[in-house]
Amino acid sequence: MESVGTGLAAIDWNDRRADVYLSRPDKRNAMTVDLMRDLTAAFERVDEAEDVRAATLLGEGPVLSAGMDLTMMRDRVDPDSGIDRDVFPDLLETIEDLRQPVVAGIKRAAPAGAFELTLPCDFRIIGENARYGLLEVTLGTFPHGGGTQRLPRLIGLSKAKEIVLTGEFVDPEHAAEIGLVHEVCPDEDVDERTKAFADRLCENAPLGLEYGKRALNASLEMPLEGGLALERSLGHELDDTRDYREGFEARLEEREPEFRGE
């Protein structure tokens, strides 16, 4: 695995898949400013890797993340702390805007800020005993790292209010029922199942994945007419690519396509 920045994030390059790790296992991957900056840099490197078709978000050690580092959260209100309050939203936007789809592996624990960390990912795989929820109302605040905005777009306003305003953990099976996660598996299988899901994505055309993700994300922000126009424009761009021709020729010749991202 390749360390990034101060060493609190790492990338494991696996051919067409990149596995991005929170790498602070001695502190249950609790997020500090340095960790979030390293994680942002890791995803920026993945975005620039032309041969990577999908990425994962994983935690080194037994959990994905215990959430925000509590000492940092206590000290951040001090005007002399110098803590960068933009580092977390910048990280989430980097993940959301990544060219490649991202699959989060929610292993054992992902409360509060760690829950919000998974929301801009495109897919979420969760362990059957994971502690997954937004606890901020029990700590004197509310989730304001994107939780009140991204969560309703994923599962609807009513269910999002239930999760945000009760501050309770979400049962993994219930999370699957409401469309918050895509798969529930034994805790010890989370990392491998997450990688396997990403590998399924890697079989597809890289430009199709990238443009499809762009169009889908835009659907949450644009009126229908504008979204349809964007969809058509992106589709027309792909009509002239080598991979478009390869995909249809391979199907007609009853063979596996060899996509190149061109």
Side-chain angles (χ1 to χ4, degrees):
M1 251 187 325
E2 179 182 345
S3 292
V4 177
T6 65
L8 296 177
I11 308 172
D12 190 12
W13 303 99
N14 290 277
D15 192 17
R16 297 177 297 186
R17 188 192 80 235
D19 300 321
V20 177
Y21 285 87
L22 290 82
S23 188
R24 197 188 180 207
D26 56 318
K27 297 295 184 180
R28 292 169 60 84
N29 296 323
M31 290 183 283
T32 61
V33 168
D34 285 342
L35 187 152
M36 290 184 278
R37 284 178 177 152
D38 288 355
L39 207 55
T40 301
F43 276 111
E44 288 173 345
R45 290 191 56 189
V46 170
D47 188 74
E48 295 169 356
E50 294 183 0
D51 57 337
V52 172
R53 298 186 188 180
T56 65
L57 172 65
L58 302 168
E60 188 177 335
V63 304
L64 173 61
S65 173
M68 293 295 179
D69 182 271
L70 295 180
T71 301
M72 179 191 71
M73 294 302 291
R74 180 199 63 194
D75 294 345
R76 71 193 289 268
V77 298
D78 184 345
D80 298 323
S81 69
I83 292 175
D84 183 357
R85 296 193 176 203
D86 293 329
V87 66
F88 190 49
D90 289 347
L91 166 60
L92 301 188
E93 289 173 15
T94 299
I95 295 172
E96 199 160 48
D97 295 339
L98 206 73
R99 288 189 305 108
Q100 304 93 336
V102 182
V103 189
I106 304 163
K107 181 174 57 178
R108 302 287 181 182
F115 183 108
E116 290 182 299
L117 177 65
T118 70
L119 295 182
C121 297
D122 303 286
F123 305 94
R124 285 159 290 280
I125 310 297
I126 192 169
E128 58 190 0
N129 295 304
R131 295 173 70 78
Y132 187 52
L134 291 170
L135 316 181
E136 283 84 346
V137 294
T138 71
L139 298 170
T141 183
F142 75 98
H144 50 279
T148 66
Q149 302 304 304
R150 290 187 176 93
L151 187 59
R153 287 167 166 80
L154 289 174
I155 62 172
L157 182 59
S158 180
K159 281 295 182 183
K161 284 182 176 179
E162 178 183 339
I163 292 171
V164 170
L165 300 181
T166 65
E168 297 174 353
F169 289 114
V170 186
D171 178 78
E173 292 292 346
H174 182 59
E177 290 171 3
I178 62 178
L180 178 56
V181 303
H182 299 80
E183 182 180 333
V184 182
C185 66
D187 298 303
E188 61 271 18
D189 295 342
V190 169
D191 284 3
E192 290 309 312
R193 292 300 306 150
T194 302
K195 295 173 186 178
F197 195 107
D199 284 339
R200 286 168 52 195
L201 301 173
C202 289
E203 296 174 3
N204 297 321
L207 291 176
L209 291 170
E210 177 184 348
Y211 282 39
K213 176 175 174 175
R214 284 174 57 187
L216 286 162
N217 284 350
S219 72
L220 299 177
E221 303 169 359
M222 301 177 69
L224 178 60
E225 183 176 354
L228 291 172
L230 174 65
E231 182 184 72
R232 287 194 298 273
S233 174
L234 293 173
H236 290 161
E237 286 186 37
L238 293 189
D239 287 348
D240 296 326
T241 63
R242 177 260 177 204
D243 281 358
Y244 178 90
R245 295 188 297 274
E246 168 65 11
F248 283 93
E249 287 175 2
R251 182 60 59 91
L252 290 169
E253 296 169 8
E254 299 182 348
R255 59 176 174 83
E256 291 298 316
E258 296 181 4
F259 296 123
R260 299 178 185 170
E262 57 189 41

